[in-house]
Structures are given as structure tokens and as C-alpha cells.
Amino acid sequence: MSKENTSSRLPVMSKRPLSSTTDGELQQSAPKKIRKVETGHQRLKPSTSVAPPKRPGPVRVTNKLLPPARAATVAAAPSRGDAKKLSAHAPVAKGASKRPGWDLKGKVTDLENKIQNYQSRLKSSNQENEDLKTSNAEVQKNKAQAQEETKHLKQCLGALEAKLTNLGQVSIQTSALAHCQDSLRVCQDMVKSLQELVARQQDELHCGEMERRKLHNTIQELKGNIRVFCRVRPLLSNREATIPHIQLPAHDNKAITLAKIEESHVGRAAETQKNYIFSFDRVFGPHSTQSEVFEEISLLVQSALDGYNVSCFAYGQTGSGKTFTMEGGVMEDMRGVIPRAVQQIFKSADMLREQGWQYTFTASFVEIYNETLRDLLYMGKPNKRSELEIRKTTNNEVTVTNLNYQRVTTEDEVCKLIILANQNRSTARTNMNDQSSRSHSIFQLDIEGENTGRGTKCKSSLCLVDLAGSERIQKSQSQAERFKEMTAINSSLTNLGIVITALANKESFVPYRNSKLTYLLQGCLGGNSKTLMFVNISPEEESFSESLNSLRFASKVNDCVIGTATANRK
Ligand SMILES: Nc1ncnc2c1ncn2[C@@H]1O[C@H](COP(=O)(O)OP(=O)(O)OP(=O)(O)O)[C@@H](O)[C@H]1O
């Protein structure tokens, strides 16, 4: 039965005229109606207390824990059993506690009172329930807020903890930084003292370098400012296994003997041997390598970087190995004096750069053919070649008009110029040598060095000369043009000999201008210059006379050198 039904009956019961009914009827009907009322009270369960519910005060833990629906049920009504208890304890209207059985009206009144009482309690319970709901909602809201706040606080805490950790790290880093700063100060002190040490050592190094240059020059002077090396070419064919007419003593690398076996004019002895003994600064046999030869010259090349003019000549008959000695082959171990000297110059300049030296290099390559100068670095049209003239500058330096003076910075650049010069070089066929060069070729590297820190400068020239063949006219069977070439070559070589002799004898007049060769090489042939002459010898027996001539010419030069060395010792 619904609550609505229960409540609708109660007014009916109260309005029924009791007088028109019998006690029995009333007695029978009354309990039914009471039961119906009680049935309606079943919705009040579960009730844990019959005490009138108090108005909700401050939120209690029990209320918080109860779900809202259950709280509402408690407030709605007690259970049937509870109703009995309630009836037992419920306050009874005054004067209704002991109603006689017939006082049905009174009982009804009592019951109505009770109902009113319950209704008011129900109302207050509902109110209380509503209050609890509101309070619960507030609690939930507060709880959510509290959770939010907790979350926020946790975040703050996390951030603070992170900050704290960072602060810890910062303090570690600060102490590490302080440590580093200390180390830096120590290092700075160390760097300062090292810089002072380096400066001192640079001073010492510079002094050492200048001392080295001086001593090096002294050694070169003691060895002689004009030196002669002899080199014997190996046999080019296997026709002759030995070279009996050239003797090189095993124990002495400065001597060479040409032995000539002549028929005896006396008659008894079949033949006699005539020995021509020569002595030079060094004699290289047929098996000497290019690097062995250069080793002896490298000290002179060093002098060029130190500021001394250096010249190196290769003298000898056609085919004796002059070009091979000066230029050599393409293979590394076949490279001759010019490429090796260039390599050494650039390497040494690189090393000296660390000591504050800056070098500039200018290369030129010229040939003298029939007493005419030709630029070997010329790249224009052959018929557009300008005439080259040797001139002297106001500084008394020799220069050539219209000649290509190429600024070079690397060894490679110089090697390319050498290739170009070779292509330009005049060659002509002769009976002596298919690739015979009929001109003097002069490679010149002008070197300018400056040590700005020390205020020191040096200037020098390195001249490497491959002379034209020196053979006699008859042997080469030269005709007309060849005769003219030969005359010019021999004339200039003779003049070279004369100039060297005049220099060695310290003569007041040196006839440089007698030939283009000596005029051009004037700067590299006197004063503070150092000269080296190679005399190249062909090993073939038929070249005996030419070899003898060459050795005699070289010996004349060498004798002059010995005279100079003796004078130095005094
Ligand atoms: N030391 C050597 N070892 C091996 N081969 C050599 C040596 N010297 C010279 N030759 C060879 O001998 C030949 C002639 O040499 P080279 O051209 O150098 O003579 P040259 O004196 O320059 O002649 P020219 O005056 O006619 O120019 C070349 O084929 C060269 O390779």
C-alpha cells in the first residue's frame, strides 16, 4: 500500500461518526486501520534510534560516511518493529495513557496525535536529511577543494623539492666553479710564465739561428766559395761492362784518373799508360744516386735561404749527364738538383716561419741561345716575343727587361714552371745527342725574407744553370748553324772560366760583360755568393779527349778555389 493511500484514510477515520457504530465494530475496525497506518510506517526503516532526530549540527563523521539515500531513509520513517518501539516510547497525549476500551475516539485521537508526531518527526528528518545532503554536498565540495588544494600543494612541494635539489646542485656547481677559477688562476700564472719562457727561448732561438747562419757561412767559406764536383755518367748500353780508362780510387772520393794507353815509340815495350790525375771537392762515380749528389749541395741551398747568393752549374760535353744532374727524371728517386733544391727551400721556409720569418719567392727561367736571351716561361705567340735585355738597376742588381718574373708560393707551382720551361727549351738534333740542348738554361729563384719581430731582412738568389754542351766542333760534325751555336757556346764557356778565375784571384776587373751568361749571372758569381760547378764526364772511351778537356777546365777552376781556401786559413 502506498503512503498516499495511508494518509488519505486517516482523515476518513477521524471524520467517521463513532456514535453510530458498535463497540465491536469499532473494536474490529480500529485495529485494521491502525495496522494500515503501521504498514505505512514500514518505509521508515531502518531506524536505529527512536529518539527524535536532532537538527544537523556541524558535520559528523557518521553522516559523512552514510550515502545520501540511506540517510534519507532513516529520516523518513522507522521500521515496523521500530514503530512498536516508538509506540512504546512515544509520548502519549495527556490523559490517553489509560483509555478505557470504549474510548475509541480518544484512541483515535491518540493515534492521530501519534501520526502527527511521526509526521513532524518525518518532516524534521526530511529537513535533517536535506541539511545533511546540503552539508554532504558542501563536504564533497570542500573535499574536492581540499583535494585540489592538496594536489596544488603537492605540486608546489614537488617544485620546491626540485628547487631545493637545484639549489643543492647550484651550490655544488658554485663550489666547483670556485675550484675551476682557482685552477684557472694557477693556469693563467703558468701560461704567463710559459709565455715568458717562450719569449726567452724565441730570443735564444733567434740568436741561435743567426749564429747558425754565421757558422754555416764560415764552414762554406772554409770549404771554398767556389767548389767543383765531378760526376761520371754510367754507360748507357751494355756494350762495355767496365770503364778501364776512368779510375776512381775506392778510398778517396775526391780523386779521378784518366788513363790513356799509348803505343810506345821506343819499340821494345808494346804500349805505355799515361795517367791524368785530377782532384776535386768530390767525385761521384757512375753508380752515385741523385740523392747522394744532392746531399752534398743541400748545405749550399740552405745558404740561399740564409741570404747568400748561390749558383750551381753543370758543365760538360753533350750527353755527359748535365740535364740529368740538374733536372733529372720524373720518378721521385730520379729527381735532380733543381726540384730537390726547390723542395728544400720551401720546407726550410715553412720551418723558419715558426721563428717569425716570412719569405717571398720569385721564379724566372731564361735560356741563352747564340748569345740571345729567351724567356722559357713565355706563353704567348712565338712571333710576338719581346726582346730581352740585361739591365742593371740603381741597386746594382741585374734584371732582364720583358722577362716573366713569377711570384710562387709552393713547390708545385715551381714544378709546373719547370715543365713549361722544358717545353720551350730549344733542342736540336746533333750527332752527339738526339735531345741535345744547344743553349744555356738558367733557373733563378729570388728569395726575400723578413723577420718583422726582429727587424731582420735578407735577400738572395739561387741560380741553377744547365750549360750547353762543351764538345769540340770537329767531333760533332756540326755544319753551318751548328757551327754558329758551337762557337757561341764555347765562347761563353771560355768567358765563364775567365770570370771564375778573375774572381778567385781577386782581380780588380772581372770581365762579366764579355758574355751574356756571365753578365746575367754577375750577382751569383761574386761578392757574398757561393758557386758550385759540376763537371759531367761521359764514360765512353771515344769521349776521352772531351772528358780530359772538361776535367782540365774544371781543374783550373778548382785550383783557384784551393788558392782562396789557403788565403782564408792565413
Ligand atoms: N747518372 C746517370 N744515370 C743514368 N742515366 C744518365 C745519367 N746521366 C745521364 N744519363 C742519361 O744520359 C743521357 C744524356 O744525358 P743528358 O741529356 O743529361 O746529357 P746532357 O749533358 O744534358 O746533354 P746536352 O748537353 O746535349 O743537353 C740521358 O738519356 C740521360 O738520361
Side-chain angles (χ1 to χ4, degrees):
M1 189 178 287
S2 72
K3 189 180 170 185
E4 202 178 296
N5 289 342
T6 313
S7 59
S8 67
R9 281 204 173 194
L10 287 170
V12 174
M13 283 167 69
S14 61
K15 286 172 186 172
R16 186 180 287 172
L18 292 171
S19 55
S20 61
T21 59
T22 62
D23 282 326
E25 284 173 325
L26 285 167
Q27 280 176 340
Q28 282 173 351
S29 61
K32 276 183 191 170
K33 284 170 187 168
I34 290 164
R35 217 174 289 130
K36 282 174 189 168
V37 170
E38 285 175 344
T39 309
H41 287 169
Q42 284 174 354
R43 298 186 64 193
L44 295 172
K45 72 173 181 180
S47 172
T48 51
S49 171
V50 291
K54 292 176 187 168
R55 286 190 66 79
V59 177
R60 284 172 298 184
V61 176
T62 47
N63 284 343
K64 281 183 190 170
L65 296 172
L66 282 171
R70 189 163 172 80
T73 313
V74 170
S79 67
R80 183 183 287 184
D82 294 335
K84 280 178 186 170
K85 286 177 193 167
L86 277 171
S87 63
H89 297 285
V92 180
K94 277 184 184 174
S97 56
K98 285 182 182 176
R99 286 190 195 276
W102 51 265
D103 190 4
L104 292 172
K105 193 176 177 184
K107 283 182 183 178
V108 167
T109 308
D110 287 347
L111 285 169
E112 281 175 350
N113 286 342
K114 268 188 183 178
I115 286 164
Q116 270 179 359
N117 195 12
Y118 280 129
Q119 278 177 338
S120 70
R121 280 190 191 182
L122 181 64
K123 197 176 169 189
S124 71
S125 289
N126 282 343
Q127 184 58 46
E128 193 178 352
N129 200 17
E130 285 304 312
D131 289 345
L132 280 170
K133 274 185 188 171
T134 311
S135 152
N136 192 30
E138 262 179 41
V139 165
Q140 290 301 327
K141 196 175 155 194
N142 288 344
K143 186 183 165 190
Q145 273 178 356
Q147 279 175 341
E148 197 61 37
E149 211 168 317
T150 307
K151 196 176 158 190
H152 178 69
L153 285 171
K154 271 184 184 170
Q155 282 173 352
C156 288
L157 187 66
L160 284 171
E161 277 173 353
K163 269 187 189 171
L164 195 65
T165 313
N166 279 349
L167 278 173
Q169 281 172 354
V170 165
S171 82
I172 291 167
Q173 283 169 354
T174 308
S175 65
L177 185 68
H179 183 68
C180 285
Q181 280 172 337
D182 287 347
S183 306
L184 185 67
R185 267 190 291 278
V186 172
C187 287
Q188 278 172 338
D189 290 347
M190 219 188 277
V191 166
K192 202 177 161 194
S193 62
L194 281 172
Q195 277 172 338
E196 285 166 5
L197 184 69
V198 166
R200 271 202 308 278
Q201 284 180 342
Q202 272 176 342
D203 285 347
E204 283 169 19
L205 195 65
H206 181 71
C207 292
E209 169 64 18
M210 299 318 279
E211 188 64 21
R212 183 199 64 74
R213 288 183 181 201
K214 222 169 107 185
L215 288 172
H216 181 77
N217 188 45
T218 309
I219 292 167
Q220 299 307 307
E221 275 176 355
L222 286 171
K223 281 188 174 184
N225 277 346
I226 301 174
R227 271 180 271 170
V228 181
F229 289 174
C230 175
R231 187 178 192 185
V232 181
R233 171 173 63 70
L235 289 164
L236 297 178
S237 69
N238 286 329
R239 279 186 297 130
E240 300 158 89
T242 54
I243 314 169
H245 66 287
I246 298 177
Q247 292 161 10
L248 306 170
H251 59 278
D252 185 2
N253 60 13
K254 294 185 177 187
I256 179 169
T257 302
L258 283 194
K260 181 134 178 130
I261 298 166
E262 291 173 336
E263 278 184 26
S264 172
H265 300 292
V266 181
R268 288 255 177 101
E271 46 191 35
T272 54
Q273 183 174 314
K274 194 170 181 187
N275 288 342
Y276 299 89
I277 303 166
F278 298 94
S279 175
F280 298 105
D281 290 282
R282 179 76 199 261
V283 176
F284 295 97
H287 303 297
S288 299
T289 63
Q290 296 282 63
S291 73
E292 278 169 8
V293 171
F294 184 71
E295 211 173 290
E296 287 292 321
I297 310 164
S298 66
L299 289 175
L300 271 187
V301 173
Q302 184 60 46
S303 287
L305 262 188
D306 293 350
Y308 297 95
N309 289 341
V310 172
S311 57
C312 177
F313 300 89
Y315 176 93
Q317 72 173 113
T318 294
S320 59
K322 300 183 294 293
T323 309
F324 183 84
T325 299
M326 296 310 287
E327 292 179 19
V330 184
M331 304 292 284
E332 180 64 34
D333 56 341
M334 288 292 143
R335 282 151 58 98
V337 169
I338 296 176
R340 284 173 196 263
V342 167
Q343 186 181 45
Q344 184 186 330
I345 290 273
F346 280 97
K347 261 190 187 171
S348 300
D350 268 354
M351 278 154 63
L352 285 167
R353 192 168 290 133
E354 287 165 19
Q355 292 178 32
W357 284 94
Q358 290 292 330
Y359 284 94
T360 51
F361 301 98
T362 311
S364 61
F365 222 135
V366 70
E367 76 171 352
I368 303 170
Y369 177 74
N370 283 348
E371 282 297 279
T372 309
L373 267 72
R374 289 185 9 139
D375 187 357
L376 291 178
L377 301 182
Y378 178 76
M379 286 192 289
K381 289 179 181 168
N383 56 348
K384 293 276 166 73
R385 275 181 180 270
S386 306
E387 207 176 313
L388 306 183
E389 288 293 332
I390 302 171
R391 294 264 186 275
K392 271 202 164 182
T393 64
T394 45
N395 300 337
N396 222 21
E397 286 172 2
V398 175
T399 184
V400 178
T401 57
N402 301 319
L403 183 69
N404 271 304
Y405 288 99
Q406 298 263 354
R407 180 64 65 85
V408 284
T409 52
T410 62
E411 184 194 337
D412 262 11
E413 283 175 20
V414 182
C415 289
K416 279 177 188 158
L417 294 181
I418 293 170
I419 292 167
L420 173 67
N422 272 334
Q423 288 165 357
N424 277 331
R425 193 165 180 198
S426 301
T427 56
R429 281 177 185 275
T430 69
N431 288 348
M432 298 294 290
N433 184 356
D434 282 354
Q435 286 281 299
S436 173
S437 53
R438 309 309 306 144
S439 62
H440 307 300
S441 82
I442 300 137
F443 167 76
Q444 185 164 333
L445 190 68
D446 295 323
I447 305 164
E448 278 187 61
E450 187 173 7
N451 192 330
T452 42
R454 309 278 165 189
T456 321
K457 282 184 182 180
C458 64
K459 193 174 180 187
S460 59
S461 292
L462 173 70
C463 287
L464 303 172
V465 188
D466 182 2
L467 295 169
S470 62
E471 69 277 2
R472 289 176 298 176
I473 296 166
Q474 302 93 316
K475 192 144 194 186
S476 64
Q477 298 165 16
S478 300
Q479 304 293 324
E481 192 63 18
R482 292 288 95 86
F483 181 83
K484 197 180 159 196
E485 280 177 1
M486 196 65 62
T487 310
I489 291 167
N490 288 339
S491 161
S492 64
L493 290 176
T494 305
N495 278 314
L496 178 65
I498 292 169
V499 164
I500 290 174
T501 309
L503 283 169
N505 294 337
K506 293 195 169 40
E507 287 173 18
S508 55
F509 176 73
V510 181
Y512 288 113
R513 294 203 183 199
N514 281 2
S515 78
K516 292 274 167 69
L517 178 69
T518 48
Y519 191 17
L520 183 67
L521 295 173
Q522 189 173 340
C524 295
L525 281 174
N528 69 348
S529 65
K530 299 171 195 314
T531 304
L532 173 75
M533 179 184 280
F534 273 103
V535 55
N536 290 86
I537 300 294
S538 296
E540 289 81 16
E541 190 128 27
E542 60 261 33
S543 297
F544 186 93
S545 312
E546 288 301 337
S547 299
L548 190 59
N549 277 343
S550 296
L551 289 171
R552 278 177 174 157
F553 176 85
S555 188
K556 218 166 105 184
V557 173
N558 203 45
D559 284 347
C560 298
V561 175
I562 290 165
T564 309
T566 312
N568 281 341
R569 278 200 295 274
K570 283 174 187 171

